[in-house]
Amino acid sequence: MTRPFSSLLRVLCLSAALSVPMVALPHGALAQSGSPFEAVLRVNDSVITRYELEQRKLFLKLLRAPGDPEAEALKGLTQDRLAMAEAKRFNLRLTPEQIAAGMEEFAGRANLTTDQFIEALAQAGVEMETFRDFASNGILWRDLVRGRFAGSFTISDAEIDRAIASGTQNTAMQLLLSEIILPVDGDPEAQQALARQLRAEISTEDGFAAAARRYSASPSAGRGGRLDWTPTSQLPPQIVELVLALGPGQVSEPVTLPNAVAVFQLRDVTEDQTAEAPEVQLEYAQFLLPNTPDVLAQAAALHARIDTCADLQAEARGLPADRLTVQTQPAAAVPGDLALLLAQLDPGEYSAALTRGGARVFLMLCSRAPVVEGGINRESIREQLTSRRLTLLAEAYLEELRSEAIISTP
């Protein structure tokens, strides 16, 4: 095996870098005979040919992209048609230089030049035009989404604060799965077809267990494919993403693995109680109020006047220095009575449950953040939130285009 082809096969799921959410299509089993250039799907006034479908399937297989290659190929090609039509409506075109840069960027993720990447694809029967169209249509869709939505929203400092705070929560999960592992020696098409058939036919845990005992090559086959509780951190991300979209008892789409095709049944989900939570740092303020009969009303009025802990500095102006203290400490070092109350607060919220030395403590949580070596890069978090917002808007945009399109099989 030549070096470029080996490098290509080591890159898993590169297509995620340029892809966006796919649409569900009404497709059944496609006939395997006929001209390579016959239409297999019509999208408005455009058609997808069998040749394009087979090329895209082969390309996705080489990338080890998750899911059923035929279904994902049809989805991707349909999105391409929708994107091209929308780009034409806005008179948006890519220059040859933009296309070349996109191909170079994609190939670079496999540590290959564009020519080496094309050579590796050619060894497996994938034409250069298939790669070019895949890369250029991904860029075209990305530019469409950014052009339409990039200036339509801003990420506020409060959103960044919430994102930082949410990063301190222990969100690790465990999954209770069953598996069917179908070994592949060469072309995985036959096992993909079997996996699709099993997914369509299985509707119960007993049915999945029977199929696992009959077909699965995994050591779990004797247990009906049943696995023990498994932390999500121990599973490949593409499998976690796939099964978390399922309800209990549902079976996943086929997943292409090295030398195998797999389907999974989700039996249950729970939080991972054994996972170690990240170290957390708290910033909090204590503002002492006279403990009068109406002190709780005063505390509520104070909170209505301020938005952040910094606003308390104005409230404390002219008062003795000990009336307001602001501290930053690891959560483990915060005194127990304060820690219990702070654990129940979000940044900007307060509690007036404590008294101290005849005064009522207006306790406000300023921030809660994971302890990160080198500090927290707020601009990096802003970029991540912007990307996430654009992804959600792209999903809605694509759904709008799909709902307005006429998509049919010949």
Side-chain angles (χ1 to χ4, degrees), residues 60-83:
L60 295 181
K61 289 178 183 178
L62 290 174
L63 294 178
R64 298 292 195 266
D68 178 350
E70 182 170 294
E72 296 305 316
L74 273 172
K75 292 175 184 178
L77 289 167
T78 300
Q79 177 189 300
D80 289 351
R81 296 302 194 271
L82 295 172

Side-chain angles (χ1 to χ4, degrees), residues 161-162 164-166 168-169 280-287 303 306-312 324-331 334 338-352 361-369:
D161 291 337
R162 287 195 294 270
I164 293 172
S166 68
T168 69
Q169 305 301 316
V280 174
Q281 183 168 273
L282 302 179
E283 182 183 10
Y284 59 96
Q286 298 178 77
F287 186 49
H303 188 249
I306 64 175
D307 294 315
T308 67
C309 289
D311 298 332
L312 285 173
L324 174 65
T325 58
V326 180
Q327 295 174 276
T328 300
Q329 292 179 297
V334 176
L338 295 177
L340 185 61
L341 292 173
L342 290 170
Q344 303 171 50
L345 302 179
D346 290 326
E349 294 182 343
Y350 81 100
S351 169
V361 180
F362 180 92
L363 176 67
M364 188 172 188
L365 178 63
C366 308
S367 67
R368 177 188 289 115

Side-chain angles (χ1 to χ4, degrees), residues 67-148:
D68 178 350
E70 182 170 294
E72 296 305 316
L74 273 172
K75 292 175 184 178
L77 289 167
T78 300
Q79 177 189 300
D80 289 351
R81 296 302 194 271
L82 295 172
M84 287 189 292
E86 192 72 350
K88 183 177 180 180
R89 185 167 76 90
F90 286 102
N91 198 28
L92 177 63
R93 295 181 178 87
L94 297 179
T95 65
E97 292 76 18
Q98 287 175 305
I99 295 173
M103 295 171 69
E104 182 180 4
E105 176 191 356
F106 196 94
R109 291 191 173 94
N111 295 319
L112 300 174
T113 67
T114 300
D115 288 341
Q116 288 173 326
F117 197 86
I118 291 172
E119 177 189 347
L121 292 174
Q123 292 176 31
V126 177
E127 299 290 341
M128 182 277 291
E129 291 79 8
T130 297
F131 171 41
R132 180 200 63 200
D133 292 346
F134 181 85
S136 61
N137 285 318
I139 297 170
L140 195 64
W141 175 250
R142 184 174 62 191
D143 288 351
L144 274 168
V145 170
R146 288 177 176 173
R148 180 168 178 178

Side-chain angles (χ1 to χ4, degrees), residues 313-324:
Q313 298 289 347
E315 296 287 339
R317 189 174 296 121
L319 298 176
D322 62 356
R323 288 284 298 274
L324 174 65

